[in-house]
Amino acid sequence: MFKINENYLKLPGSYLFSAIGKKVNAYSAAHPDKKIIRLGIGDVTQPLAPAILEALHRAVDEMGRAETFRGYAPDLGYEFLRSAIAGQDYQARGCEISADEIFVSDGAKCDSANIQELFSLDNRIAVCDPVYPVYVDSNVMAGRTGTYDSAKETWSDVIYMPCTADNAFAPELPGDGQTPDLIYLCFPNNPTGAVISKARLQEWVDYANRVGAVILFDAAYEAYISEPDIPHSIYECEGARTCAIELRSFSKNAGFTGLRLGFTVVPKELKCGDVSLHGMWARRHGTKYNGAPYIVQRAGEAVYSPEGKAQLKEQIAAYMKNAAYIFNGLKEAGYTVSGGVNSPYIWLKTPGGMSSWEFFDCLLEQVNVVGTPGSGFGPNGEGYFRLTAFGSYENTVEAVDRIRKLHL
Ligand code: MLT
């Protein structure tokens, strides 16, 4: 008789964005006449930039001719894309990362869920609270998180690093007796939209090297950084090559949520004793993965072309115009808001002491606007709410105007 991985049974509820989707679909089915504006999941709405579309068309045509047809992609990614990434995302910023340290994949969500496989089940993880749920859930599935306390909504073996208004939503280094082995950091942060300075990130790198921890650094939103002195990559910090893995996505900077493309950087110096994590991750890719599609990798290459870069700069500016509209509109209306300056996410305090889900229901039912309840990201998200700037400008303006008219 087969047995299941019982760790799955420990997972409370369903995945946050699936739960929200179900609620919204039920409301929509019951009220087909209502125009719902969705500023919940961070999904892009602008069409692919022309340079990317052209690259896709060219690659599709290549696949239709015997001389240029491609079968299996190299499992770590095509050289043309890995070189563009290493050169433009890293070396151009002074980071010492080479093309053979880049592992191309079909997205940062999968990589951030899969990377924990490289580590012992005894390892203790530390996460920000609130946090992107994939980091915790993937460790629950692996059996690394201990028991769940449903009253506190926390796991016994996870170190939670509170990110609150008091610390500007940036975690403090873990205190004595709480030494993590794996530290998940995401900056610009999902969900709070907060950033940390290079000096603060350097403290994390120094800490990880001192205690022998690995930082799993999710930089999916780096393209939204608008202020100076905010690191775009953890490898801008000295010593990061011996303690950090970086995860990146093409979803938010280039609109690939439906195309799927991302990459993970594993420096060759990152070792446990004399075992290299680079070698382990390469082994995993070789066994479990056949590479992102050729046409999508060609589309990814176009992200780095001069035309692609100019077009994507405009896309991001358009989303950031939405972010500013939400931020300023809600602030003027008396809301306490943060994020939205170096990030497409606006993090707001729910009004009148409402819980995150009460505010979600209120927005959905009274003004037909969908956001994401902060408590879905962790206990310290309770009393907060996330709105995304990824909608159209018209919908963003209408949503803010509707929220401002809300009678609470
Ligand atoms: C989010 O809304 O938090 C993101 O879209 C989730 C993701 O990128 O997987």
Side-chain angles (χ1 to χ4, degrees), residues 180-196:
D181 303 297
L182 305 176
I183 303 164
Y184 287 84
L185 294 179
C186 171
F187 288 105
N189 187 257
N190 179 14
T192 65
V195 285
I196 53 172

Side-chain angles (χ1 to χ4, degrees), residues 37 101 147 164-165 248 251 298 314 351 376 399:
I37 301 180
E101 293 174 314
T147 50
T164 63
R248 290 269 190 115
S251 289
R298 279 292 184 202
E314 277 177 31

Side-chain angles (χ1 to χ4, degrees), residues 15 17 40-43 109 132-134 190 221 251-252 345 372 377 386:
Y15 183 59
F17 294 105
I41 190 163
D43 196 3
K109 180 181 185 177
Y132 179 47
V134 172
N190 179 14
Y221 298 92
S251 289
K252 321 289 168 159
Y345 293 129
T372 308
F377 298 100
R386 193 192 78 176

Side-chain angles (χ1 to χ4, degrees), residues 273-315:
D274 54 9
V275 179
S276 121
L277 295 191
H278 180 279
M280 289 175 73
W281 192 237
R283 185 69 176 83
R284 184 200 180 273
H285 260 247
T287 299
K288 294 197 174 185
Y289 193 54
N290 264 332
Y294 172 69
I295 58 174
V296 179
Q297 294 196 47
R298 279 292 184 202
E301 183 189 26
V303 167
Y304 297 92
S305 68
E307 306 75 40
K309 284 201 276 197
Q311 292 158 6
L312 292 173
K313 204 168 161 196
E314 277 177 31
Q315 275 198 357

Side-chain angles (χ1 to χ4, degrees), residues 237-352:
C237 296
E238 254 173 66
R241 286 183 59 82
T242 51
C243 70
I245 289 175
E246 182 162 294
L247 305 137
R248 290 269 190 115
S249 166
F250 285 74
S251 289
K252 321 289 168 159
N253 63 332
F256 278 45
T257 53
L259 274 188
R260 308 307 309 150
L261 193 65
F263 62 90
T264 290
V265 185
V266 189
K268 291 192 178 147
E269 272 111 293
L270 187 46
K271 290 187 176 165
C272 180
D274 54 9
V275 179
S276 121
L277 295 191
H278 180 279
M280 289 175 73
W281 192 237
R283 185 69 176 83
R284 184 200 180 273
H285 260 247
T287 299
K288 294 197 174 185
Y289 193 54
N290 264 332
Y294 172 69
I295 58 174
V296 179
Q297 294 196 47
R298 279 292 184 202
E301 183 189 26
V303 167
Y304 297 92
S305 68
E307 306 75 40
K309 284 201 276 197
Q311 292 158 6
L312 292 173
K313 204 168 161 196
E314 277 177 31
Q315 275 198 357
I316 288 169
Y319 289 134
M320 290 313 280
K321 187 174 161 198
N322 295 347
Y325 193 90
I326 300 172
F327 187 100
N328 295 328
L330 295 186
K331 195 165 174 204
E332 274 167 25
Y335 285 82
T336 304
V337 281
S338 57
V341 175
N342 296 291
S343 154
Y345 293 129
I346 290 88
W347 188 240
L348 56 119
K349 213 163 162 35
T350 55

